[in-house]
Amino acid sequence: MTTSQGEPASAVRPPMGRKVRAYITLTKPRVLELLLVTTVPVMILAQNGLPDLWLVLATVIGGSLSAGSAAAFNMYLDRDIDAHMQRTVNRPLVTGEVSPRGALIFAWTLAVVSTVWLLITTNWLAAALSAGAIFFYVVIYTILLKRRTEQNIVWGGIAGCFPVVIGWSAVTGSLSWAPLILFVLIFLWTPPHYWPLSMKYKDQYENVDVPMLGATRSGSQVGLQVILYAWATVACSLLLIPVASMGMVYSVSALVFGGWFLYESHRLYSRAVRGTE
């Protein structure tokens, strides 16, 4: 069987399994893993024990659909620059496995379903925060900030902070200082986590005129910013100990992993100053 252009139909319409995998790729599954890792422990903290397992499952499902929607919108809007970056050139919208129209419909569907799902299974606050996270990532970060300012990831990273307040509000129906500190913790962690990546792919960001800090500033300047944010991140993580009455396991973990984070940040800066990779 061939198309009207004489091409094999299989070359135009990939097998169903491949199509499904392409749509799953639109949701950025590896990012979803990070978001869920922050959601479930916060729900346990909010409950001060193990919350209802159905509530946890419902929140995880709703949060996954919400984050998947934001990621799909992001890929739809960034498909022009993705085609020119080595690390994104295999994304489904670039390869043609998913059409722009299909991706847009998919993104909107996930957005609506996730919001309605959380409204039905959790509460209005969790649903509203979920919708807010999609709006922030798509409109504030992807559309307004990403291509205009080197501080894009600083403010755009706020979208990745929402899972902790969504998880907390799903359990309690309200917010308090503990989830807000966790929100700020992830906000502070995001830039020093991502800026080294932008340093690695500096040339690719320059080619598509996306002003990531790693592409617009010298390695030593970026390294210094990473150090400052890393120290702020560790300080914020320790602030949670008295506010939420965290136990020994958290306290020791925060000190050990925070210390490792600081060590790696200073190591990055040192290598940047010396001009090594």
Side-chain angles (χ1 to χ4, degrees):
M1 179 178 178
T2 61
T3 65
S4 58
Q5 288 75 25
E7 297 176 319
S10 59
V12 178
R13 298 179 181 178
M16 181 59 67
R18 184 176 172 184
K19 194 79 169 178
V20 170
R21 287 193 297 271
Y23 274 97
I24 292 175
T25 301
L26 285 179
T27 66
K28 298 184 180 179
R30 294 187 65 183
V31 175
L32 286 179
E33 293 174 7
L34 290 175
L35 298 178
L36 297 182
V37 160
T38 62
T39 302
V40 177
V42 167
M43 295 184 72
I44 296 173
L45 180 62
Q47 185 68 40
N48 197 24
L50 192 64
D52 180 77
L53 293 181
W54 162 246
L55 179 63
V56 174
L57 180 61
T59 306
V60 167
I61 291 173
S64 299
L65 294 174
S66 175
S69 168
F73 274 120
N74 175 263
M75 285 198 189
Y76 169 79
L77 293 167
D78 280 353
R79 64 191 187 279
D80 58 330
I81 60 176
D82 284 347
H84 301 284
M85 297 183 65
Q86 184 178 352
R87 74 182 188 90
T88 58
V89 74
N90 291 320
R91 285 180 172 176
L93 280 164
V94 179
T95 62
E97 293 174 291
V98 176
S99 68
R101 181 174 180 272
L104 190 59
I105 293 174
F106 180 66
W108 272 111
T109 300
L110 291 183
V112 172
V113 171
S114 64
T115 303
V116 173
W117 171 266
L118 287 172
L119 184 62
I120 294 173
T121 60
T122 60
N123 53 61
W124 71 268
L125 181 56
L129 289 169
S130 173
I134 297 173
F135 174 84
F136 207 97
Y137 188 72
V138 175
V139 178
I140 305 301
Y141 171 63
T142 306
I143 296 177
L144 298 181
L145 296 177
K146 185 172 183 178
R147 308 191 194 198
R148 290 182 171 87
T149 171
E150 62 185 19
Q151 294 297 310
N152 46 25
I153 200 66
V154 175
W155 303 109
I158 289 176
C161 307
F162 275 86
V164 293
V165 290
I166 292 172
W168 187 281
S169 62
V171 173
T172 66
S174 62
L175 295 174
S176 63
W177 280 112
L180 295 180
I181 289 174
L182 286 166
F183 186 99
V184 175
L185 174 62
I186 299 174
F187 170 76
L188 293 170
W189 168 81
T190 301
H193 144 73
Y194 195 86
W195 280 333
L197 184 68
S198 69
M199 292 171 70
K200 180 178 181 180
Y201 295 108
K202 177 179 180 178
D203 294 340
Q204 295 184 37
Y205 282 114
E206 288 177 342
N207 290 338
V208 294
D209 293 324
V210 174
M212 287 293 178
L213 192 70
T216 60
R217 300 295 182 94
S218 67
S220 59
Q221 288 177 310
V222 179
L224 181 59
Q225 289 294 313
V226 168
I227 286 176
L228 294 175
Y229 272 89
W231 276 99
T233 299
V234 174
C236 189
S237 71
L238 298 178
L239 181 61
L240 191 65
I241 296 173
V243 171
S245 300
M246 304 302 289
M248 186 61 67
V249 172
Y250 175 86
S251 302
V252 172
S253 298
L255 287 170
V256 171
F257 291 113
W260 173 78
F261 190 31
L262 291 174
Y263 167 76
E264 290 292 341
S265 298
H266 280 272
R267 182 168 173 263
L268 172 72
Y269 175 69
S270 177
R271 291 175 66 86
V273 169
R274 295 198 307 269
T276 55
E277 185 176 350

